[in-house]
Amino acid sequence: MNTASGKEPGPAPNLQPTSQDPIDFSIDDLLKKVEEFQRQQQLETLERVTTENSWLEFHIARLQQESIRTSNLLQEIYSAVISMQGALEKCRLEEVKANQAWLAFWGIREHPSTIPGTHQADWI
């Protein structure tokens, strides 16, 4: 007994949880922890997806640039091929003219089978 204060000691505090209050508190606490865990998972997922998106956007942009460069290079190659074909055709025509002039100079007439664009039956 506590004689200094002159009061009788009250009942001992109940250390045993009552049936409803602590259970509600525990359920609320559990729900808060679950929500916090879910929120953390969502943030981690969002961060991961954002990082992946950035990586994909970078690579898509790089591939687009490479595609443009490849297309430009193919256009240059095509133009060069067309130019070379024209030069080869011009060279072939000049060679034919030069051969005709050379043969004419020496008084040689070409056989019809050697003239471009004509065909002679080989069996005659």
Side-chain angles (χ1 to χ4, degrees):
M1 284 199 210
N2 189 354
T3 56
S5 67
K7 294 182 179 179
E8 272 188 43
N14 186 1
L15 297 178
Q16 295 294 325
T18 59
S19 62
Q20 289 184 347
D21 292 340
I23 292 175
D24 289 340
F25 177 76
S26 294
I27 289 174
D28 288 340
D29 189 42
L30 180 61
L31 288 173
K32 286 179 185 178
K33 293 223 182 265
V34 167
E35 288 174 0
E36 182 181 320
F37 177 76
Q38 287 176 336
R39 203 173 13 251
Q40 183 65 29
Q41 290 297 321
Q42 289 171 348
L43 290 174
E44 289 174 4
T45 301
L46 184 62
E47 182 179 345
R48 182 178 47 82
V49 169
T50 302
T51 302
E52 287 177 11
N53 266 357
S54 296
W55 184 83
L56 289 172
E57 287 173 354
F58 170 78
H59 285 284
I60 287 170
R62 194 185 71 174
L63 290 174
Q64 285 174 335
Q65 290 172 351
E66 289 176 6
S67 176
I68 290 169
R69 281 191 290 240
T70 301
S71 177
N72 291 340
L73 183 59
L74 286 173
Q75 185 62 39
E76 287 180 34
I77 291 170
Y78 179 76
S79 296
V81 167
I82 296 298
S83 176
M84 289 171 58
Q85 284 178 334
L88 286 173
E89 182 63 23
K90 183 178 178 183
C91 180
R92 189 187 66 76
L93 291 175
E94 288 179 8
E95 182 182 13
V96 168
K97 287 179 185 177
N99 282 338
Q100 289 173 347
W102 176 256
L103 291 174
F105 174 78
W106 290 103
I108 303 171
R109 290 178 33 161
E110 281 191 85
H111 194 274
S113 65
T114 60
I115 298 174
T118 62
H119 300 287
Q120 181 181 13
D122 290 334
W123 57 272
I124 296 180

